[in-house]
Structures are given as structure tokens and as C-alpha cells.
Amino acid sequence: MSNAMKRKRNNRISILVPCKLASRDIVGALVRHICTRLEECGEPEEFGYQVISAFNEAFNNLTSHGGEGITERDILVIVEVTEGQLIIELQDDGDTFNLSEEMPALDPLSESGMGLYIMRSFMNELDYKPSSEGRANALRMTRDLKHARPDESQCS
Amino acid sequence: MLEFTQETRGNSVIISLKGQLDAITAGTIKPTIEELISARTPYIILNLIDLSLIDSSGVGAIVSLFKRTRAQGGDTKIAHLNKQPREVFHLLRLDKAISIFDSVDQALESIKSSPPATE
């Protein structure tokens, strides 16, 4: 068998939804399902809670940056499971925003601004690339997998 | 989707939340909160037993309620913090700032032993 045939295929799903908060739970259900599957393959119980929390904050963030003059926008969500990572990427054509490289200070009694803290804390990597040369804005979040292998047949 | 009910017991109002408290739904509970604050309700217990999800907007609504009841000399307490909401509360260290109980009865008991709220 060639190396290419031996290589395990990544699992990747893309979904395009209107840029509305109401769309979040539709995609969220998909993310939650994938997390449940990964938990069945060995990720801890809190894995899904943490990933869905980060996803929701990311989606909220994109919907709140409405592109001026763009009446109807979509968000493309790509969810990919590799052998060692869960990657969630959200692409849109809305206004760009600055994603601070630094972890924001934690104030437990703050009434806003905790979204970035949640995303940075619950995911291992967070990367934002503003649109350029015809490409959409892309917010990419990566969470390392401790145990799971997406195509292991022994997962329950 | 968020559903909620409220029940008065003595000087406390118990608000039981069911569903999601997030950017989509947080606004739906605002009028109830405004009413309780205007009525100077001293103690509010949020029963989260059926709350499946919270985001930073939902947390903001709870923190706001907590601060406002405290400013009036009362308090906001949480009962039944589980699953995803527990993860978020723990991350944001809200469990250090707001009193959390395993049951509504325990939260009520703590109020009985608290000094009465000032007018």
C-alpha cells in the first residue's frame, strides 16, 4: 500500500449559513455532534462544552461586525478533524476586526468583553486573517485532541 | 430558546431558566429583571437546573443582576450550576464571586441566615 493510501483522511465538513445569530444554533448542533463523537473516542466530558462555548463566541463576534452596505451576508463554517486537532474556521465578508494577540485581563464581574477570553481559553490556537485579494475574513480556532482518532473503529 | 418562570418565597424570588441564556435570548429576560430591581426585590435565586447553554451575553446579564441586587443591599445566588454553564462560570471565576448552591433550598437556607437587606 502506498503512503498516500495509508494516510488517514481528514474529516471535513463545510456549511454556509446566513450571517444571523439565529443561524448559530444550526451550525452549533453540527459542532456539538462532532464533539460528542470525539468524546466517545476519548476526549473528556468538558471537551464539548468548551468547544461549543468558543464556537458560539466566535459566531457572535462575526454577526456583530456587519459589513456596511452589505445587506445579506453569509458565514462559511468549516469543521475539520485531523488526527490530532479539531479545527473550526469561520469565513465572512463583513467588517474586519482586530483580534488581540494577548489574553484579555479577566474581570469576573465584567458585563461584556469576555468572548475573546472564552475563545482563547478553551481553544489552543486562535488566528484571524482579514480579507485580502478576494479572500474572505477567516477566524480559525484549533483545539488539540488528546486521545481521539477520527476514524478509529473501536470508538463507541 | 429561553423559557423562565418565577416564584416568590418570602423575601426571595426564584427564577428558573430553561434552555439557552445567550446573545439571542438574554434580552427576553431583561423586562423581568427590571421589574424585580424596580420592586427592590432583595434576594434573587437563579435556578439553572434546566439551563443547557450560556454565552458571554448571558453571563453579562447575570453579572448585571448580581451587581444591581448587591447595590440595593440584597444578593443574587445561583442554584444547580451544571455542564456547559458550569465550565463557563468556572473559567470566568464567577463561582468565586457569586454564591453557588447545589439546590434552591440550600440557596434559600443561606438567605435565612443572612442579615436582612437594607432599604
Side-chain angles (χ1 to χ4, degrees):
Chain A
M1 188 182 290
S2 70
N3 285 339
M5 289 179 74
K6 283 180 190 170
R7 195 183 309 135
K8 289 176 180 173
R9 291 181 60 195
N10 293 342
N11 298 314
R12 185 177 189 196
I13 296 172
S14 305
I15 183 167
L16 187 69
V17 292
C19 182
K20 297 175 183 171
L21 274 176
S23 305
R24 192 191 69 188
D25 289 347
I26 298 167
V27 191
L30 171 70
V31 174
R32 197 186 300 266
H33 177 77
I34 291 169
C35 289
T36 301
R37 183 81 182 116
L38 291 169
E39 287 170 6
E40 288 168 354
C41 292
E43 293 303 313
E45 184 194 357
E46 64 271 16
F47 178 84
Y49 301 146
Q50 295 179 352
V51 171
I52 200 73
S53 300
F55 167 77
N56 283 346
E57 299 299 339
F59 202 99
N60 290 353
N61 205 321
L62 262 61
T63 58
S64 66
H65 286 83
E68 194 175 340
I70 304 173
T71 52
E72 289 186 12
R73 287 193 297 138
D74 292 321
I75 296 179
L76 176 65
V77 182
I78 303 164
V79 186
E80 184 174 12
V81 182
T82 70
E83 280 196 46
Q85 292 180 319
L86 169 66
I87 302 161
I88 302 173
E89 183 167 315
L90 297 92
Q91 299 180 3
D92 82 330
D93 294 316
D95 293 341
T96 59
F97 56 89
N98 290 322
L99 188 69
S100 170
E101 289 295 322
E102 293 177 15
M103 179 70 91
L106 177 61
D107 172 7
L109 293 182
S110 171
E111 293 174 38
S112 62
M114 289 293 102
L116 180 57
Y117 188 87
I118 291 171
M119 285 191 275
R120 284 216 181 278
S121 300
F122 283 158
M123 304 301 278
N124 294 98
E125 289 174 37
L126 199 60
D127 181 52
Y128 181 72
K129 286 192 170 52
S131 59
S132 68
E133 297 173 0
R135 284 187 307 189
N137 306 310
L139 176 59
R140 184 181 172 96
M141 303 188 292
T142 305
R143 172 71 184 248
D144 294 342
L145 302 178
K146 289 185 170 59
H147 307 287
R149 297 291 180 271
D151 54 353
E152 279 185 358
S153 56
Q154 65 267 32
C155 298
S156 58
Chain B
M1 187 170 181
L2 177 70
E3 295 172 23
F4 58 93
T5 57
Q6 70 179 78
E7 176 191 354
T8 302
R9 283 210 226 165
N11 60 354
S12 304
V13 170
I14 302 154
I15 303 178
S16 299
L17 303 178
K18 182 178 183 182
Q20 302 184 178
L21 182 60
D22 57 18
I24 302 169
T25 63
T28 62
I29 199 169
K30 263 189 179 176
T32 301
I33 288 175
E34 292 301 327
E35 209 172 284
L36 292 170
I37 295 295
S38 297
R40 301 187 72 81
T41 305
Y43 294 105
I44 296 174
I45 298 169
L46 296 176
N47 178 10
L48 306 187
I49 193 166
D50 291 318
L51 189 72
S52 58
L53 186 138
I54 194 166
D55 70 5
S56 57
S57 300
V59 167
I62 291 179
V63 168
S64 171
L65 176 63
F66 171 75
K67 285 181 179 174
R68 294 174 74 183
T69 50
R70 279 286 178 98
Q72 291 184 348
D75 205 355
T76 295
K77 296 168 187 280
I78 305 279
H80 295 293
L81 185 64
N82 296 305
K83 300 182 177 178
Q84 188 268 354
R86 185 181 58 198
E87 281 295 313
V88 172
F89 267 64
H90 183 67
L91 173 72
L92 301 179
R93 295 184 204 151
L94 281 168
D95 49 355
K96 307 287 181 203
I98 302 177
S99 301
I100 295 170
F101 299 88
D102 289 340
S103 69
V104 170
D105 286 343
Q106 283 182 15
L108 285 166
E109 201 57 42
S110 78
I111 291 166
K112 278 184 196 166
S113 56
S114 299
T118 55
E119 289 297 322

